[in-house]
Amino acid sequence: MEKKIIIVDDEKKIADLVELYLRSEGFETAKFYTALPALEYALREEAALAVLDVMLPDMDGFTLCQRIRERYFYPIIMLTARVEDMDKITGLTLGADDYVTKLFNPLELVARVKTQLRRYTRYNSPGEAKQEEDTLDLRGLSISRQSHKCTLNGKELSLTPLEFSILWHLLQNRGRVVSSEELFEAVWGERYLDNNNTVMAHIARLREKLGEPPRRPKFIKTIWGVGYTIE
């Protein structure tokens, strides 16, 4: 069965180009030039991943991302013409998994799509989960690779695949400080750059979902200049 990718971009040439490259790799696509029809489709049909432009005429891509995240946890890649770090952090904290700045190489975007789908499939595959420790527990926090569920004091948390992967890696290495570089390369599978704020944005979102007080977090602690740890 072909994996369906939702494409939303009001620049017709870009949307058509993304569709062309994804279809050439065997993906099925659902293409939209505005947000509202895309949202209606996303809430009605099953998809494997979404590529969303930030600047849309009827609803910004951040809001669209947030609306999709209320129901689904498949990967979301944001497209934008803006390069400011704050725009990137905004998208990531609202649930996006990756961020590509225009003008991008279509082959790079296809590679990122495949990377996100591999990661999502791996962390939702019971067969993969059985090869390693299945469940980790710590002070009321429980996370299972087989069911891809995370609970805190019996209440299920809605984690994206990346948030799940980050928490799993930190719990697997509890008691040890994990650098941003190690965490990024372990979870994203890509080379870390010094100015990369992706890890910080996802940690902030993860702490919010865990109900962590900023100054005295119970689980994920920042070791300034070094990385993160769960003790």
Side-chain angles (χ1 to χ4, degrees):
M1 179 179 177
E2 293 182 340
K3 293 182 177 179
K4 186 179 297 181
I5 312 296
I6 297 174
I7 304 166
V8 190
D9 198 311
D10 64 331
E11 295 185 60
K12 188 177 184 299
K13 288 184 178 179
I14 292 179
D16 293 350
L17 183 65
V18 171
E19 180 182 49
L20 176 65
Y21 273 81
L22 288 175
R23 283 183 174 249
S24 71
E25 292 293 324
F27 294 108
E28 183 181 347
T29 59
K31 180 179 62 179
F32 302 90
Y33 303 123
T34 55
L36 292 177
L39 178 60
E40 181 181 346
Y41 179 88
L43 298 180
R44 185 182 71 245
E45 302 289 340
E46 184 177 350
L49 182 145
V51 179
L52 311 179
D53 185 21
V54 170
M55 301 298 291
L56 295 167
D58 52 346
M59 176 193 295
D60 67 79
F62 295 141
T63 302
L64 179 56
C65 172
Q66 199 170 23
R67 292 290 301 277
I68 292 175
R69 272 287 170 262
E70 290 173 359
R71 185 175 298 185
Y72 300 110
F73 300 114
Y74 54 71
I76 295 176
I77 299 175
M78 305 297 295
L79 301 178
T80 182
R82 297 184 291 184
V83 297
E84 291 85 350
D85 278 348
M86 189 52 64
D87 291 331
K88 180 175 183 178
I89 292 172
T90 298
L92 295 174
T93 56
L94 289 175
D97 298 280
D98 203 354
Y99 206 95
V100 178
T101 304
K102 301 175 181 179
L103 297 167
F104 55 86
N105 184 329
L107 293 176
E108 178 190 354
L109 178 60
V110 170
R112 288 175 180 263
V113 166
K114 290 181 177 179
T115 297
Q116 292 296 333
L117 289 173
R118 280 197 304 269
R119 184 180 300 116
Y120 182 71
T121 301
R122 184 172 71 248
Y123 283 100
N124 283 277
S125 171
E128 289 289 335
K130 291 176 183 176
Q131 295 176 13
E132 301 181 19
E133 189 175 7
D134 177 61
T135 304
L136 300 174
D137 298 280
L138 180 69
R139 298 192 300 274
L141 179 65
S142 179
I143 183 169
S144 169
R145 284 190 62 150
Q146 184 170 2
S147 64
H148 201 273
K149 289 184 178 180
C150 177
T151 60
L152 178 59
N153 298 322
K155 181 180 179 181
E156 187 173 344
L157 305 179
S158 297
L159 303 184
T160 67
L162 280 175
E163 291 165 352
F164 184 95
S165 302
I166 290 169
L167 185 57
W168 181 270
H169 190 80
L170 289 174
L171 279 170
Q172 272 194 318
N173 293 275
R174 57 184 177 271
R176 182 174 73 83
V177 179
V178 178
S179 69
S180 296
E181 179 179 1
E182 176 190 333
L183 192 56
F184 184 86
E185 293 183 356
V187 174
W188 277 263
E190 300 175 11
R191 183 171 173 271
Y192 179 81
L193 300 177
D194 290 339
N195 62 349
N196 195 322
N197 291 310
T198 303
V199 172
M200 180 181 68
H202 280 84
I203 290 288
R205 179 67 171 169
L206 188 52
R207 281 174 169 159
E208 181 182 332
K209 291 185 177 182
L210 290 168
E212 297 265 70
R215 295 185 179 276
R216 300 185 65 182
K218 180 181 178 182
F219 294 106
I220 304 174
K221 297 182 179 180
T222 300
I223 309 300
W224 294 108
V226 183
Y228 304 95
T229 185
I230 293 181
E231 299 175 346

